[in-house]
Amino acid sequence: MTGPSATTKYTGQLIDKRVLIVGGTSGIGYAVAEAALEHGARVTIVGKQVPKLEKALAQLSATYPTQTAGSRLQGMARDLGDSPTVESSVQEILQLAAGSGKLQHLVITAADMTPPPPVSEVTAEGLQRTTTIRLMAPLLFAKHLPGFMDCATASSMTLTSGAHAHKPDAGWSVIAAHCGAVESLMKGLAIDLRPLRVNAVAPGAIMTDVVKDILGPFYDQAIQLAKEKSLVASAGAPEQVAQAYLYLMKDTYVTGSVLESNGGMLLA
């Protein structure tokens, strides 16, 4: 593929750019991978489980045979919740994504998708994995990123927070705390890594396949609650919120910002 032309100065901004999506094997991250491929990017996805990674790579290749031809799509399975190995995993991931060149965009959507414990059941050990994935891993990516990415305004790092940082439901103190910490971390990194742009997306009730599995028989009830808490009378889909990540990659004048995609739930 070639770079953007006079007639594709908006849709061609990601052509041949190297985009790394950590958490890209399912849900929002997978949708971001689809969107990046549709925009001509070279995509690397990372997930915890090998079978899930292989399935995602196969699906993306089947859906986008032209965009994934050659070495335009690749992946790696690493567990970023494992504290002793997380830093070495981060370095391996960055090396794969950059290849013989430089990485242009890093998106992190990875999260520990388990129901949060109530405050009465919180333990230091129980918090360790979630904290490692949501805070330590992004910090370590930021630490090593300058070695694999040009720290310029054309490049970006996008983290993932959540609407719970601003409007937590009962029983969601743990997730609210981590989402709020991600947003504070993003602002600090935007200063420390400048002129590299660092932002965050804060999704609302996005019904991914993993969320559906977790909810099980309560899925329909959750959909109804999401509709009641939304100004657009619906829950969100990964394909919708993926647009936010694309925007943050392409707008070279935005940094230190939280982009919300929540159906207006903060006003409902």
Side-chain angles (χ1 to χ4, degrees):
M1 293 188 178
T2 58
S5 67
T7 57
T8 60
K9 69 176 183 177
Y10 296 105
T11 60
Q13 285 177 276
L14 297 182
I15 290 176
D16 284 333
K17 304 302 182 185
R18 295 181 185 272
V19 178
L20 167 60
I21 305 162
V22 180
T25 58
S26 64
I28 294 173
Y30 184 87
V32 176
E34 289 182 312
L37 287 170
E38 288 188 9
H39 282 71
R42 296 176 178 270
V43 173
T44 300
I45 61 173
V46 177
K48 182 178 70 172
Q49 302 172 358
V50 172
K52 200 170 182 178
L53 172 67
E54 293 176 343
K55 180 180 178 181
L57 290 171
Q59 288 178 333
L60 289 168
S61 297
T63 305
Y64 303 101
T66 301
Q67 294 92 330
T68 58
S71 59
R72 302 187 66 84
L73 173 66
Q74 59 185 350
M76 177 178 282
R78 290 292 184 273
D79 182 3
L80 294 178
D82 183 48
S83 298
T85 63
V86 62
E87 186 159 11
S88 60
S89 292
V90 163
Q91 292 173 284
E92 292 170 358
I93 290 166
L94 288 171
Q95 182 62 71
L96 175 68
S100 59
K102 290 284 189 177
L103 184 64
Q104 279 75 50
H105 301 286
L106 166 62
V107 170
I108 302 178
T109 64
D112 187 18
M113 292 302 294
T114 56
V119 173
S120 60
E121 297 178 14
V122 168
T123 64
E125 182 180 2
L127 288 177
Q128 184 174 351
R129 180 173 178 83
T130 299
T131 302
T132 300
I133 295 173
R134 287 184 176 260
L135 294 177
M136 184 57 68
L139 266 171
L140 291 172
F141 272 107
K143 172 185 176 180
H144 294 286
L145 200 54
F148 300 92
M149 176 186 286
D150 290 329
C151 288
T153 56
S155 300
S156 71
M157 177 181 186
T158 305
L159 308 183
T160 302
S161 171
H164 285 291
H166 306 278
K167 193 176 183 180
D169 289 326
W172 283 74
S173 294
V174 170
I175 300 302
H178 283 93
C179 288
V182 166
E183 294 186 7
S184 293
L185 171 62
M186 173 274 295
K187 293 175 183 178
L189 292 179
I191 295 171
D192 289 341
L193 298 180
R194 61 184 166 182
L196 173 68
R197 297 179 299 106
V198 185
N199 298 285
V201 175
I206 308 299
M207 293 301 162
T208 66
D209 288 339
V210 174
V211 170
K212 292 177 183 177
D213 290 341
I214 291 174
L215 291 173
F218 301 103
Y219 174 70
D220 290 338
Q221 180 182 354
I223 289 290
Q224 183 58 40
L225 287 173
K227 290 180 178 180
E228 293 173 359
K229 293 182 179 181
S230 166
L231 298 183
V232 296
S234 70
E239 295 79 11
Q240 293 169 314
V241 72
Q243 302 288 347
Y245 294 87
L246 281 183
Y247 165 73
L248 292 174
M249 285 187 239
K250 295 196 291 183
D251 185 348
T252 57
Y253 199 54
V254 59
T255 191
S257 298
V258 178
L259 186 54
E260 298 172 353
S261 178
N262 56 37
M265 65 176 286
L266 302 185
L267 300 177

